[in-house]
Amino acid sequence: MGLLHRITSVAVSLKPYEEYFLSGLFLIVGSYAYIEAQSWGFAAGTWPRLTAGIVIVLSTLVFLQRYLPESLRSLIADGDTMFSRRQKEAASRNKADTDSKEQQRDDDGVSAAVMTAMFTVVYAVAGYLIGFLWATPLFIFAYSRWNEAEFSTPVALAAVGFGIAYGFVGVLGVPIDGGILTEVVLS
Amino acid sequence: MSQLAAAIEGILTLFTWPVIAWMVGGVLVGIVAGALPGIGAGLGMAIILPLTLPLDPISGLVFLIGVYSGAMYGGSISAILINTPGTGGSAATTLDGYPMSRLGLAKNATAISVTASVIGGSVGLLTLLVLLPVLIEVILAFQSPEYFMVAMVGLALIPIVAQGSLFKGLLSGALGLLIATVGIAPMRFQSRYTFDSLALDNGISYIAALIGLFAIAEMIRLSTESGGIAQTGVDARSGSVRDGIKTALSKPITMIKSAYIGMAVGAIPGGGSTIANFVAYSESVRAAKNPDPEFGKGNPTGVVATEASNNGSIGGSILPTIAFGIPGSAATAVLLAGLLLHGLRPGPSLFGADAHITYAMLLSVLVGNVVILIVGLTLVTRASLITKLSSETIIPIVITLAVLGGISFRNNWIDIATIVVLGLIGYVMIRNDYSVIAFVLGIILGPIAEENLIRSLQISDGSFVIFLTRPLSLLLVVAFVFILCVPLLAARRE
C-alpha cells in the first residue's frame, strides 16, 4: 500500500505538468521522426517528413503556449468550437440535476485511474508470461477485490473472464493458453 | 451493374441466412452496449471488430452496423431511467427523459424514444437511398488528388466541429498520420521506424490503436467517476407505452426536422450523434411556443427531438465513411476499420462492382429499426436491469475483451503493447482536451492519404500544383484553407 500511495502522490503532484509532458513527448517523437525520415527517398520519405514537420510545429506551439500572445494562446487553449456553445447552453438547462453526477473525485480519481492503468499493464505482462487464459481470471479477481467487492463477486466475475478467454482459445483458436514462462517450464 | 440491380441484390443478400441473423444479433448486442454507460456504439464496435474477422465481409459489416444502430437507441434507456447517457448521442435525452421518469412516465419516455429513434433513423436512411444515385456520380468523379484533399478536409474539420481546441485537434490528427507511417512504405520497399523489428514491418494495427484509444482509455476514465450508475429509485414500469407512441406520433414536424438535423450534422466529419442531438434539442427549444411542461422538466418534445436526431445521424455519417473513407464519428471510424479489415476500400468500388454490399449495409439499418421497435416496445421494462451493472463490474470485463480481441486479430505482441500504451496516452490526452477521434482518424486515414498523395505527385512529376489545376481538387483546397481560417476569423470577431 505504501508503494501505491507513493505512486498516487507522484501522479497527483505531476498533474499540473501533464500538458507539458504530453506536448514535450509529441515534440520529441516528431523531431525523431523528422530526422529519421531525412535519409529516405521521395516516395518513402515525403509523407513522414510532412506529418512529422506538422507535429513539430503544433507541439511547439502547445508547449510554449504560456509565452505566446494572448490571442494565439486563447486559440490554442480554449475549447469553444462550432457547436460546443450550443451544447453548453442546452446542458445548462438541467445543470442542477446533472452536476452531482458529473462531479469527479479529484485525487481519488487520479488514484483510481493510476490503479486501473497499473492493473492493465500488469495484466498485459502477465498474459505475456503465463498466457491470457490464466492471467484473465487472476486480473479480474484482483481488480474486483481491489474495488472492495464481496468475495463471491470477484469469484463469479473471474469465472466469467475465464469463460471468455476459453472461448477465444476454443472457438477462435487464439493461442493464449501459454506464455514465455510456461514454455520455459514445460520445455 | 445498375444501381437498381445492386439494390435488389443487396436486399436479397441481407435476407439470406446467416446474414439476417448477424444483423439481428448486432442490433441486440448494440442495444445492450448502448444501454451500458461508458460503453456505447464506438467502444462496443471496437471490442467486437476483431471478432468479425472469421465472418464473411457482408455478415461482418451488417453485424457492425447492427451494433451501431442498436447502440444509438440503447443509449436512451440509461439516459431516461438513470440519468446517465449510455452514449454521447443520448446526452441531451437526459434533459427531459429523466425528468419524465421522475414524474412516473418512464414507459412513456422509453416508448417516445423508440418511436422517434425508429422513425428518425428510417427517414434519414430513406432520404440517403433516394439521393444515392446523384451522389454516386459525384463520388465517381473523384481521383487520387481529390481523395487526398478530402482526407485533409476531413482531418481539418474534426477539431472545429468536435469539442476541444483547434491546435490540439490538428496535432492529434497529425500524430495519428505519423504513427500510421510505421512499417513498410506503401509504394516502396522501405522500412520506416521499425527499429529493425520484423514485428513492426506490418505497421501499427489500426484495430489495436482503436481498442487502446477507445476501450482502455475510456475504462481508465470510467474508473475515476464517483458513485454507482444505477440505484436512482425510478420505477421502469410506470407510465403507458401506448400514450408514449401517440405522443411521439403527434409531433411529426419535430421528428422529421430533427432527423434531418441529425443527418446533416452526422455527415460532417467529427460531428456525429453527440453534437446532432444537442443541436436538435436546441432547435426544438427555440421552435417551441409556451412549452408545457417546460423544457428540462419532462417535456416529451425534447425526447422526440434528441432521439430522432441521433438515429437520423446514422445515415448521414455512413455515407462519407463508405464514399471517401472519412468517418463522421467514433462508431463510423470503427466501421471504416471494419471495411478495411474485410478487404473493402471506401470509394468508387463500393458504388460500382461492390454496390450490393453498400445497399445491404444501408438497408440493414432500415430492417434493424424493426428489431429495435419490437425490442424497445416489448422488453424495455426488463432493459432497466442492464443499467444496474456497476462500473466496477464493467471495467475488468471490457479490458479483458479489449485485450483478447486485440491479440486475436494478428497474434502479434506489438498489438498488445499498442493497446496498452495508446490506452494510457489516450487517457492523458482526453484529460488535456486533445481529440482522440482526430488521432484515430489520422491512423486510419494516414495510409489512404499517403498513397493518394504520392500517386498524385507521381502523375504531376512531383509538382503540388496538381491539387490546384483540377476543378474538384481546387474546390477542396479552398474548403481546406477556409476551414482552417474559420476559428481564426471567429476569434478575431470576438
Side-chain angles (χ1 to χ4, degrees):
Chain A
M1 291 305 279
L3 180 65
L4 167 64
H5 183 71
R6 197 174 298 169
I7 291 170
T8 304
S9 303
V10 170
V12 170
S13 64
L14 289 177
K15 228 170 119 184
Y17 305 105
E18 271 181 13
E19 185 84 65
Y20 287 112
F21 166 75
L22 261 190
S23 50
L25 175 70
F26 297 157
L27 182 58
I28 291 166
V29 169
S31 303
Y32 165 77
Y34 190 84
I35 293 164
E36 183 80 3
Q38 291 295 327
S39 57
W40 302 330
F42 175 79
T46 302
W47 182 248
R49 281 194 291 271
L50 191 66
T51 51
I54 296 169
V55 169
I56 291 169
V57 172
L58 293 173
S59 56
T60 305
L61 282 172
V62 176
F63 190 80
L64 299 174
Q65 58 179 293
R66 285 195 182 181
Y67 310 102
L68 295 173
E70 175 59 32
S71 56
L72 192 56
R73 184 170 60 198
S74 63
L75 198 64
I76 294 169
D78 282 356
D80 255 1
T81 53
M82 200 184 292
F83 292 119
S84 59
R85 194 168 298 157
R86 292 188 88 170
Q87 286 189 34
K88 283 173 191 168
E89 281 169 11
S92 66
R93 290 174 186 282
N94 210 15
K95 200 169 185 301
D97 262 11
T98 53
D99 263 3
S100 60
K101 272 271 173 193
E102 288 175 0
Q103 273 183 355
Q104 297 193 349
R105 297 165 293 173
D106 200 28
D107 289 357
D108 286 354
V110 173
S111 168
V114 168
M115 281 309 292
T116 305
M118 280 175 59
F119 267 110
T120 307
V121 172
V122 172
Y123 173 45
V125 173
Y128 183 70
L129 293 175
I130 61 171
F132 281 112
L133 182 65
W134 313 110
T136 296
L138 292 175
F139 156 68
I140 294 177
F141 181 83
Y143 188 85
S144 298
R145 282 298 286 166
W146 171 73
N147 272 300
E148 296 169 3
E150 286 180 21
F151 193 78
S152 59
T153 308
V155 170
L157 284 176
V160 170
F162 184 77
I164 292 170
Y166 189 78
F168 274 81
V169 178
V171 179
L172 298 176
V174 186
I176 52 168
D177 51 347
I180 293 290
L181 266 186
T182 48
E183 275 178 24
V184 170
V185 172
L186 294 175
S187 61
Chain B
M1 186 190 291
S2 74
Q3 292 305 312
L4 183 63
I8 292 169
E9 194 180 337
I11 294 170
L12 295 175
T13 307
L14 182 62
F15 283 99
T16 54
W17 186 267
V19 178
I20 191 74
W22 286 113
M23 190 277 294
V24 174
V27 172
L28 297 177
V29 170
I31 291 173
V32 174
L36 286 170
I39 306 292
L43 202 162
M45 289 168 74
I47 294 167
I48 283 162
L49 180 62
L51 307 182
T52 66
L53 192 58
L55 305 180
D56 64 274
I58 294 179
S59 295
L61 291 168
V62 160
F63 186 62
L64 283 174
I65 286 186
V67 175
Y68 181 22
S69 187
M72 278 296 131
Y73 160 67
S76 71
I77 297 171
S78 48
I80 290 167
L81 297 179
I82 59 170
N83 201 26
T84 307
T87 63
S90 298
T93 307
T94 58
L95 303 178
D96 279 296
Y98 183 63
M100 280 186 77
S101 295
R102 293 180 71 171
L103 293 169
L105 298 169
K107 272 189 180 178
N108 299 54
T110 48
I112 289 171
S113 158
V114 72
T115 310
S117 294
V118 167
I119 294 176
S122 302
V123 166
L125 243 296
L126 287 171
T127 307
L128 181 61
L129 286 169
V130 170
L131 293 177
L132 206 53
V134 182
L135 296 171
I136 285 170
E137 295 301 318
V138 179
I139 292 160
L140 293 178
F142 275 55
Q143 289 182 9
S144 287
E146 286 80 19
Y147 271 106
F148 171 70
M149 281 316 303
V150 161
M152 292 297 99
V153 169
L155 284 166
L157 263 173
I158 292 155
I160 295 175
V161 296
Q163 286 181 311
S165 88
L166 170 75
F167 280 80
K168 288 179 182 177
L170 289 174
L171 176 55
S172 302
L175 266 170
L177 293 173
L178 187 57
I179 283 180
T181 61
V182 174
I184 304 280
M187 299 173 82
R188 286 285 185 281
F189 193 79
Q190 167 77 57
S191 287
R192 302 187 299 198
Y193 312 123
T194 59
F195 305 99
D196 296 326
S197 163
L198 286 176
L200 275 171
D201 270 355
N202 287 328
I204 300 289
S205 159
Y206 53 84
I207 292 172
L210 272 173
I211 291 173
L213 290 166
F214 288 159
I216 302 298
E218 183 61 25
M219 287 304 103
I220 295 172
R221 192 198 61 77
L222 190 64
S223 71
T224 66
E225 291 194 346
S226 59
I229 53 177
Q231 313 298 335
T232 56
V234 166
D235 183 1
R237 292 163 299 180
S238 61
S240 159
V241 169
R242 185 174 294 183
D243 288 351
I245 296 171
K246 275 185 189 170
T247 307
L249 294 177
S250 70
K251 301 178 188 309
I253 293 173
T254 304
M255 207 154 17
I256 292 170
K257 187 167 66 177
S258 302
Y260 283 129
I261 287 173
M263 195 177 160
V265 177
I268 302 170
S273 59
T274 307
I275 292 168
N277 85 124
F278 275 104
V279 174
Y281 184 80
S282 302
E283 174 54 25
S284 70
V285 172
R286 190 201 61 77
K289 289 171 184 160
N290 306 318
D292 182 30
E294 282 181 38
F295 281 94
K297 294 186 176 173
N299 191 314
T301 308
V303 181
V304 171
T306 55
E307 285 306 302
S309 67
N310 64 22
N311 276 65
S313 72
I314 295 174
S317 60
I318 286 179
L319 183 68
T321 307
I322 56 179
F324 306 117
I326 298 176
S329 61
T332 41
V334 184
L335 181 65
L336 175 60
L339 283 169
L340 299 172
L341 178 68
H342 288 283
L344 297 166
R345 291 295 291 265
S349 70
L350 279 173
F351 298 90
D354 296 324
H356 65 290
I357 297 177
T358 303
Y359 278 101
M361 285 194 291
L362 295 178
L363 290 165
S364 72
V365 179
L366 277 181
V367 182
N369 281 337
V370 178
V371 181
I372 290 173
L373 193 65
I374 294 166
V375 172
L377 295 179
T378 55
L379 300 175
V380 76
T381 53
R382 290 169 184 82
S384 63
L385 289 172
I386 300 166
T387 62
K388 300 286 181 194
L389 286 172
S390 69
S391 53
E392 286 81 13
T393 306
I394 294 169
I395 290 168
I397 298 292
V398 169
I399 290 175
T400 297
L401 284 169
V403 171
L404 295 182
I407 190 79
S408 68
F409 174 49
R410 301 193 301 187
N411 196 26
N412 185 343
W413 283 94
I414 290 293
D415 292 349
I416 296 297
T418 303
I419 287 171
V420 174
V421 171
L422 288 187
L424 302 184
I425 290 177
Y427 169 68
V428 183
M429 285 176 76
I430 292 167
R431 277 169 58 95
N432 287 280
D433 210 20
Y434 284 84
S435 168
V436 168
I437 295 180
F439 191 31
V440 166
L441 287 186
I443 294 173
I444 295 177
L445 291 178
I448 298 171
E450 180 177 9
E451 197 179 314
N452 284 302
L453 172 69
I454 299 301
R455 195 170 286 157
S456 303
L457 293 177
Q458 282 176 340
I459 294 168
S460 66
D461 287 330
S463 169
F464 281 88
V465 176
I466 191 170
F467 298 108
L468 304 174
T469 53
R470 297 167 60 89
L472 213 50
S473 175
L474 178 63
L475 195 68
L476 290 164
V477 170
V478 172
F480 179 69
V481 173
F482 176 74
I483 290 162
L484 287 181
C485 290
V486 164
L488 296 168
L489 294 171
R492 192 167 179 170
R493 191 189 290 173
E494 279 178 15

